[in-house]
Amino acid sequence: QAQLVESGGGLVQPGGSLTLSCDASGIQFDIGPMGWYRQAPGRQREMVATITYDYDITYVDAVKGRFAISRDSPQGPLYLQMNSLKPDDTAVYYCYARQLFGSRESWGQGTQVTVSS
């Protein structure tokens, strides 16, 4: 059973919106921080947004004011509301979770987001 499963990606026009979801029901440890990362072709994977167990949130500068990360509970699910999408947001988006007390971590399989007219 996959531990983290993303959904909600797709093709959207510039200026449009998408909401990504991450189902963490397969996780076998108490979750601490969670986050969304992305990787565009030819580029390194980068952090998009993270949210701690205490709901402290961090965004990469490129998405501030446009994206919003949230989680329903410490064990998820995790969401990423993406507004005013730009072609530069095109990437595979990955969900991430790390153990609250410990070093175990998990990555989802990724979901493709394509912003194009």
Side-chain angles (χ1 to χ4, degrees):
Q1 180 183 6
Q3 293 187 322
L4 294 174
V5 181
E6 303 98 335
S7 61
L11 173 65
V12 64
Q13 291 187 342
S17 298
L18 282 175
T19 300
L20 304 183
S21 300
C22 176
D23 178 0
S25 60
I27 290 291
Q28 299 297 310
F29 52 79
D30 291 334
I31 298 175
M34 299 186 77
W36 291 98
Y37 290 70
R38 66 186 179 186
Q39 187 167 19
R43 301 181 67 176
Q44 289 189 332
R45 188 174 298 189
E46 66 171 352
M47 183 275 291
V48 177
T50 61
I51 182 168
T52 69
Y53 180 85
D54 296 327
Y55 297 87
D56 288 332
I57 290 172
T58 302
Y59 296 102
V60 67
D61 286 347
V63 308
K64 286 180 179 177
R66 301 188 297 121
F67 290 12
I69 188 171
S70 62
R71 63 198 288 181
D72 280 355
S73 74
Q75 292 301 114
L78 182 72
Y79 304 99
L80 185 68
Q81 175 66 44
M82 304 185 294
N83 300 320
S84 302
L85 282 160
K86 305 174 181 181
D88 282 350
D89 296 318
T90 296
V92 177
Y93 284 71
Y94 297 89
C95 178
Y96 168 80
R98 196 173 78 231
Q99 192 174 19
L100 181 58
F101 299 112
S103 60
R104 295 175 67 182
E105 59 182 26
S106 181
W107 290 90
Q109 81 289 349
T111 186
Q112 177 70 46
V113 172
T114 302
V115 185
S116 175
S117 55

